[in-house]
Amino acid sequence: MRVLVVGKGGREHAIAQKISESKMLETLWVAPGNPGMSKVGLQCVNVEKTPDVLAFCKTNRVDLVVFGPEAAILSDLKEVLEANGVACLAPSREAAHLEASKYFCKEILEDAGLLTAAYQKANTVAEAISFLEKHDFKTPIVVKADGLAAGKGVAVCETLETAKAAVHDLTTAYGFPLLVEECLIGRELSAFALCDGEDFVILGTACDYKRITPDPFSANTGGMGAFSPCDFISTDDEAAIDDIFRKSLKSLKRKGKPYVGFLFAGLMKTDKGLYVLEFNVRLGDPETQALLPRIKSDLLDLSVKAVQGRLEKQKTEFHDYRSVHVVAVSKGYPGNTMDLGHAIQIPTASTEGTNIYFAGVSTKNENLVNTGGRVLGVTALAKTRDEARMKAYQEIRKVQFQGLYFREDIAQ
Ligand code: AMP
Ligand code: GLY
């Protein structure tokens, strides 16, 4: 098969790497990819706009396009490619509403009868404030923008004053409606599935580290590291995860929005069970870099079956390994001013059981240089999480560029 992966980050590097292992593969491209991926042997093609991707697919007789980032999923790319006979692994824009509207997501969860935080929908500031004033603040309250907000649309508020300020800030930035939500207390985890509109296969669970330092009040990032699987979940929790995907897919189908593609459930393990915080209509970054190396099954085969609606009775096989992924970022990340453009040294011979995934890199005078916040990440696989963590840190310490920073406590 001739396959194109769309995207340019560490997540897409991991997707392309896993697809490259498939026996079904004839040729693989990443669009646009990045020079780090090229350096490790992936073919990157410099196309990003819909007409250019379409022209590339036609000229090169691409059989399947696998979508990475939500920007591509929410664009017209899938519609245009499919109208021209190119198969796509991505949800429709209607189904992708699951991420683009938190209210729609709540409707699906309620229809599916799944556990999620109790909420109220406010269409005006007065309405939001009346909800807040009824809360006793013995526990915090969560104020959420409905639409996409690049991780900045949620405020967990401990006092009425901060909640009122959040209402002001979120509606100024993102408008209405707002969701005012019960605050769930527990441990967060993410679960991933590949879906064919009705059936699905589980791709695993992962925990990511969102803050720039171990301080829970430090700046939020795209993700500083992850481990997989989440070893604090029980077999009952695993059954609950199956239920979450099965019932949500059923509800989406009933509503005429069957979901095909990767699906990411943000969950909270509470003492009353597993609650769904949100869905994302893509894989996580950097969770994917921890998740996919553990998968033994042929991801391309599963992807084709997902697109063709043939996942019923399929099951993912996993290697008997735990994984840990650590991200190296540029100095200044996640702020607006970063120290960029420095040559990157990577280990010449990588340790067995480790993988390096590239993200914010370019080339200057034939050297790789850092040009983004999250520059690259290292995944290590081992029989235990401790061993995987040690290996990942051993490997990332061999990477050098001026201003390099990583968290020291991933997977501890
Ligand atoms: P979301 O975009 O809905 O996943 O929210 C982003 C983050 O806010 C989550 O990863 C949680 O850490 C936190 N969060 C969202 N909703 C809740 C909730 N109801 N209770 C506690 N924390 C929440
Ligand atoms: N690491 C979180 C995300 O991809 O949304």
Side-chain angles (χ1 to χ4, degrees):
M1 285 190 73
R2 302 163 70 78
V3 179
L4 179 73
V5 173
V6 170
K8 59 182 174 190
R11 166 183 48 206
E12 289 75 30
H13 188 167
I15 294 172
Q17 170 76 40
K18 185 48 69 181
I19 288 178
S20 75
E21 295 166 12
S22 170
K23 289 198 184 71
M24 293 163 59
L25 187 72
E26 183 191 325
T27 313
L28 175 68
W29 298 271
V30 190
N34 67 53
M37 296 186 198
S38 310
K39 219 177 170 69
V40 295
L42 292 167
Q43 276 194 77
C44 297
V45 288
N46 195 15
V47 289
E48 261 185 286
K49 295 202 174 95
T50 297
D52 301 334
V53 177
L54 174 63
F56 181 85
C57 290
K58 286 285 183 204
T59 311
N60 294 283
R61 294 173 288 110
V62 170
D63 299 302
L64 177 68
V65 178
V66 177
F67 286 52
E70 69 267 34
I73 291 166
L74 296 168
S75 77
D76 61 354
L77 186 58
K78 175 183 159 91
E79 282 144 32
V80 170
L81 291 176
E82 285 184 342
N84 285 276
V86 184
C88 294
L89 180 65
S92 65
R93 275 198 276 191
E94 292 73 39
H97 223 53
L98 201 56
E99 176 170 350
S101 164
K102 293 200 188 292
Y103 178 60
F104 177 65
C105 176
K106 287 287 193 191
E107 281 189 323
I108 293 294
L109 291 169
E110 281 180 336
D111 181 63
L114 292 165
L115 292 175
T116 185
Y119 75 101
Q120 288 169 298
K121 180 184 171 203
N123 289 312
T124 62
V125 170
E127 222 179 337
I129 290 182
S130 83
F131 297 150
L132 296 175
E133 282 173 343
K134 289 189 193 105
H135 186 65
D136 60 13
F137 286 92
K138 284 182 187 151
T139 54
I141 201 156
V142 181
V143 183
K144 284 189 181 181
D146 179 60
L148 292 175
K152 298 192 178 106
V154 177
V156 178
C157 309
E158 302 207 3
T159 63
L160 182 60
E161 288 63 45
T162 52
K164 281 182 177 170
V167 168
H168 175 267
D169 294 348
L170 289 175
T171 51
T172 306
Y174 308 108
F176 289 96
L178 264 192
L179 268 57
V180 175
E181 197 172 289
E182 165 198 18
C183 185
L184 299 172
I185 311 293
R187 194 153 178 197
E188 269 189 80
L189 68 140
S190 306
F192 299 87
L194 175 59
C195 313
D196 75 358
E198 186 154 13
D199 294 300
F200 64 96
V201 287
I202 292 284
L203 299 177
T205 55
C207 286
D208 77 337
Y209 290 69
K210 292 203 171 85
R211 306 283 164 175
I212 187 74
T213 74
D215 174 358
F217 299 103
S218 62
N220 207 13
T221 73
M224 297 295 292
F227 65 87
S228 173
C230 298
D231 32 22
F232 54 86
I233 57 172
S234 63
T235 40
D236 281 356
D237 292 332
E238 280 173 11
I241 290 172
D242 265 20
D243 231 37
I244 286 165
F245 286 116
R246 184 174 321 99
K247 290 181 175 164
S248 302
L249 289 178
K250 271 214 168 81
S251 172
L252 281 158
K253 190 166 182 214
R254 257 200 311 275
K255 288 187 185 288
K257 299 176 183 183
Y259 190 99
V260 176
F262 297 115
L263 184 55
F264 166 164
L267 307 173
M268 184 80 88
K269 181 175 163 71
T270 73
D271 50 16
K272 291 194 213 107
L274 268 189
Y275 278 64
V276 181
L277 288 174
E278 63 161 352
F279 281 114
N280 293 308
V281 296
R282 52 177 173 80
L283 288 176
D285 190 339
E287 293 93 328
T288 306
Q289 295 90 303
L291 208 64
L292 295 188
R294 294 186 52 244
I295 291 179
K296 202 191 232 174
S297 304
D298 184 328
L299 185 64
L300 179 54
D301 180 44
L302 291 174
S303 301
V304 169
K305 289 185 168 124
V307 171
Q308 296 175 343
R310 295 195 293 126
L311 282 180
E312 196 192 351
K313 301 198 183 105
Q314 295 297 312
K315 228 173 155 291
T316 320
E317 282 186 66
F318 294 91
H319 296 292
D320 185 19
Y321 287 125
R322 317 255 137 182
S323 66
V324 172
H325 179 79
V326 182
V327 179
V329 303
S330 299
K331 187 173 176 191
Y333 177 74
N336 294 328
T337 319
M338 292 188 281
D339 190 11
L340 304 176
H342 301 294
I344 302 168
Q345 265 91 49
I346 53 170
T348 40
S350 67
T351 311
E352 206 191 319
T354 67
N355 255 313
I356 186 157
Y357 297 110
F358 291 97
V361 297
S362 311
T363 34
K364 192 164 92 186
N365 307 329
E366 299 189 8
N367 277 325
L368 276 186
V369 295
N370 63 319
T371 46
R374 291 191 291 176
V375 179
L376 55 85
V378 169
T379 298
L381 292 171
K383 289 286 175 196
T384 66
R385 173 138 69 90
D386 277 351
E387 220 184 307
R389 186 180 65 239
M390 265 167 40
K391 256 166 100 171
Y393 277 108
Q394 242 170 39
E395 200 64 9
I396 206 157
R397 286 186 210 289
K398 296 182 196 160
V399 176
Q400 289 176 15
F401 58 87
Q402 189 179 313
L404 175 155
Y405 167 77
F406 52 82
R407 269 179 72 159
E408 302 270 356
D409 63 324
I410 304 298
Q412 236 161 35

